[in-house]
Structures are given as C-alpha cells and as structure tokens.
Amino acid sequence: MATKKSNSKQSAKGGKQKPQYRNAGAAAESAKAPLFDDRTRRDIAGVICAILAVALFVTAVLSPEGMITSLVATGLRHAIGIGSYVLPFVLLAVSITLLVRFKKDVVPLRVAIGLGLLFIAFLTIVALFTPGAEADPNSLFTSANLVSRAGFLGAGIAWALLNLFGLLVSVILMIGLIILSFIIIGFS
C-alpha cells in the first residue's frame, strides 16, 4: 500500500506541525502586541471617568429629562443618598490621577481605593447620625431617610454597626477607616 508524502512535517506524537515561515517571530510579536500601551489605556480610563463624573453631577443636580437619566438619578439617590452629589467629585479626582503623569504607576490605584474607602466612611457616618437611628436602626431604611441621608449603602453598613457595636464605637471605627483611607492615598 503506497502512502502519499505530505509537505508538512510530522511531530513525534503524530500530529502535524505548522510550517515554518521566514518572519514567524515578527508575526507572533505583532499579534501579541496590544493595540494601546499602558499610558494610553490610563488616559482613556481617565477621560471616561471625567465624562462619567460630569454626567453624574448633571444628573444629580439638575432634574433629569430622559428616561435613562431619570432612572439613574432615582437609583443613585436610593443607593447612596447625598453621596450622589459627592460621587462625581470622587470620580473626578480619580480621573485626574489617571491623567496626570506620576513616577509610580500605582498612584491612581491607591487614590481610587483610598477615595472609595473615604466615600464609604462618609456615607456611613452620615447614616449613623440619622435622628432616631440609635434607638431604632430599622428607621435608616425609610424612603425619606434613604434619599436624604446615605442611601442603602450607608444605611446598610450603619445598621450593621449600630446593631453590633452601638453608636460610639461605630463612629470610632469609621474615623479609623477615614485615617486608613488617607494613609492608602499617601498622606502619611
């Protein structure tokens, strides 16, 4: 029985190997090279954060006209309460750290994590000082308190802290979180 010879080489395991090309190394390197370098990706992320910050600020401050912006405004007010007015500034600060050139690449990440913790501590402290919350932590979840105070995020954390530790220790823990967030940002 005659066998037909193939132009491609056989590997030791019986599978076919890909034919060798003259510039295979250059083709592989160009296929693996990303479209954008790290600096360009950070710039794009910074611009997106800035646009999102401006859009959220306009949505929070002005009465929304569109269906999507109305839904976002209502959702933000219930989720983070007065934090919907603070969140655009947090995003703007993160976008600035992404756009400004630093010697270390970890600065934007540290600032984002630190500001996130600071934002959570702020919302929790606002919720902790809701009138009547110490006597009845469930009052944090009334619709009026959610929208005018810290939303579900701050109310949920404050509810857990009030039930576990009481008001005084909860405030001390949140002050500790604020100090920790400043250390993470780099104010040490």
Side-chain angles (χ1 to χ4, degrees):
M1 188 164 160
T3 59
K4 195 176 192 181
K5 283 190 175 182
S6 171
N7 287 341
S8 64
K9 296 180 180 180
Q10 295 280 333
S11 70
K13 295 182 180 181
K16 290 186 177 182
Q17 288 182 343
K18 291 184 180 178
Q20 297 287 330
Y21 294 107
R22 191 174 291 184
N23 291 328
E29 285 180 26
S30 67
K32 291 180 183 178
L35 181 61
F36 300 118
D37 62 345
D38 287 338
R39 185 70 237 164
T40 305
R41 284 189 292 228
R42 282 181 46 189
D43 288 344
I44 291 170
V47 169
I48 289 172
C49 278
I51 291 169
L52 188 61
V54 171
L56 287 177
F57 182 74
V58 169
T59 301
V61 173
L62 302 176
S63 61
E65 296 174 1
M67 185 172 63
I68 300 281
T69 54
S70 177
L71 180 67
V72 168
T74 303
L76 277 175
R77 286 189 184 111
H78 280 87
I80 56 177
I82 63 169
S84 62
Y85 299 104
V86 178
L87 182 63
F89 296 104
V90 171
L91 285 175
L92 190 61
V94 170
S95 71
I96 289 170
T97 62
L98 286 168
L99 292 170
V100 173
R101 309 267 193 265
F102 291 102
K103 291 180 184 177
K104 295 182 180 181
D105 287 338
V106 296
V107 171
L109 180 62
R110 286 181 61 172
V111 170
I113 292 171
L115 287 176
L117 290 174
L118 187 64
F119 182 70
I120 290 171
F122 165 73
L123 290 179
T124 304
I125 288 175
V126 168
L128 284 171
F129 288 108
T130 300
E134 188 176 9
D136 180 21
N138 293 331
S139 68
L140 292 169
F141 296 103
T142 63
S143 183
N145 282 339
L146 288 174
V147 173
S148 67
R149 295 289 176 171
F152 279 108
L153 179 63
I157 297 170
W159 180 86
L161 290 174
L162 285 171
N163 282 322
L164 294 173
F165 303 110
L167 180 64
L168 184 60
V169 174
S170 298
V171 171
I172 291 170
L173 290 173
M174 288 302 102
I175 291 172
L177 185 61
I178 290 170
I179 293 169
L180 180 68
S181 68
F182 283 127
I183 291 171
I184 290 172
I185 291 172
F187 292 122
S188 59

